[in-house]
Amino acid sequence: DAGVIQSPRHEVTEMGQEVTLRCKPISGHNSLFWYRQTMMRGLELLIYFNNNVPIDDSGMPEDRFSAKMPNASFSTLKIQPSEPRDSAVYFCASSSGDREDQYFGPGTRLLVL
Amino acid sequence: GENVEQHPSTLSVQEGDSAVIKCTYSDSASNYFPWYKQELGKGPQLIIDIRSNVGEKKDQRIAVTLNKTAKHFSLHITETQPEDSAVYFCAASPPPGNTGKLIFGQGTTLQVKP
């Protein structure tokens, strides 16, 4: 299995631009999680999906952030407009429905100038 | 909601020594406690986990203990090696169950000096 796949691995953009991060979970996993990691705040859960349905988005910082999961094999996290304080590493993770152990992707390192 | 506190934030040990990282959680209904290792430039990787019906679990040089009464759990690494150097995260899975949501601690940077 290829594991969780994220793209792009690195993104540099200017303030105000739209950023789209992509994730392909492990085949057969039906839960998907988006995290943000910074030195100051550590690993924060932004949103998670179960069977493609958003279950808890209380960690999404503000309306500039949105996430979708149109099917079981693809999810996006969008930031519009982006701001310098959004600079962080964004991780996607997936898990199987009857197990809590999560498998993380390699992350997307985002820098907003 | 659930809150997980992790200590210490940094830990430096000599190769061959043991390392212990401790976590406390707030929700007594949490029932699953994994530990993740994150190497530089990579995502966190699960290394060991324990459920609330078990007090201790071992896997070669690593072990985890759980004290449900005190609501704390610990990671023990014996005979540390330089490749153990990484950031370690504890986590707890709060109810309701079967959604897989995890609340992570702040992380411990472990340095093993050769």
Side-chain angles (χ1 to χ4, degrees):
Chain A
D1 198 319
V4 175
I5 298 173
Q6 290 187 247
S7 65
R9 293 294 311 278
H10 302 273
E11 177 82 22
V12 181
T13 190
E14 293 188 345
M15 183 174 63
Q17 296 298 306
E18 178 180 294
V19 175
T20 300
L21 311 181
R22 298 173 177 80
C23 175
K24 176 178 170 55
I26 292 173
S27 177
H29 283 189
N30 62 348
S31 292
L32 184 140
F33 307 81
W34 282 101
Y35 291 89
R36 178 172 66 178
Q37 186 175 40
T38 61
M39 288 294 292
M40 291 296 294
R41 301 176 67 88
L43 199 58
E44 301 175 274
L45 177 64
L46 300 178
I47 184 171
Y48 72 98
F49 297 83
N50 189 251
N51 293 322
N52 310 339
V53 176
I55 302 299
D56 184 350
D57 65 353
S58 60
M60 296 286 262
E62 48 198 276
D63 292 345
R64 298 185 297 106
F65 286 69
S66 62
K68 294 182 179 180
M69 191 165 186
N71 57 63
S73 59
F74 183 66
S75 178
T76 59
L77 178 67
K78 186 174 293 185
I79 308 172
Q80 167 63 16
S82 58
E83 297 183 2
R85 59 194 169 118
D86 301 330
S87 298
V89 181
Y90 291 82
F91 289 104
C92 174
S94 70
S95 69
S96 176
D98 57 350
R99 295 182 57 86
E100 298 98 327
D101 48 327
Q102 296 180 19
Y103 293 82
F104 281 74
T108 295
R109 188 173 298 273
L110 173 65
L111 178 61
V112 183
L113 302 174
Chain B
E2 175 65 280
N3 183 53
V4 177
E5 297 287 334
Q6 183 172 346
H7 300 280
S9 57
T10 60
L11 180 60
S12 181
V13 300
Q14 208 66 38
E15 181 178 0
D17 288 349
S18 295
V20 180
I21 303 171
K22 299 180 179 181
C23 290
T24 60
Y25 60 99
S26 60
D27 192 333
S28 58
S30 290
N31 56 10
Y32 174 69
F33 307 93
W35 286 88
Y36 285 80
K37 175 183 181 182
Q38 185 178 22
E39 297 177 336
L40 197 62
K42 297 183 178 180
Q45 301 296 309
L46 178 70
I47 56 172
I48 194 169
D49 56 15
I50 191 168
R51 297 186 182 276
S52 58
N53 58 346
V54 175
E56 182 176 3
K57 184 177 179 180
K58 289 183 179 180
D59 183 4
Q60 299 182 356
R61 295 187 297 107
I62 60 173
V64 57
T65 59
L66 171 65
N67 183 326
K68 288 173 55 180
T69 302
K71 290 188 287 187
H72 67 69
F73 55 113
S74 301
L75 177 71
H76 304 252
I77 306 174
T78 59
E79 301 174 20
T80 53
Q81 301 168 4
E83 51 265 38
D84 295 329
S85 296
V87 180
Y88 291 81
F89 292 94
C90 63
S93 179
N98 293 332
T99 60
K101 179 178 180 178
L102 295 175
I103 305 299
F104 283 85
Q106 298 88 342
T108 296
T109 299
L110 173 64
Q111 180 188 27
V112 180
K113 293 181 284 187

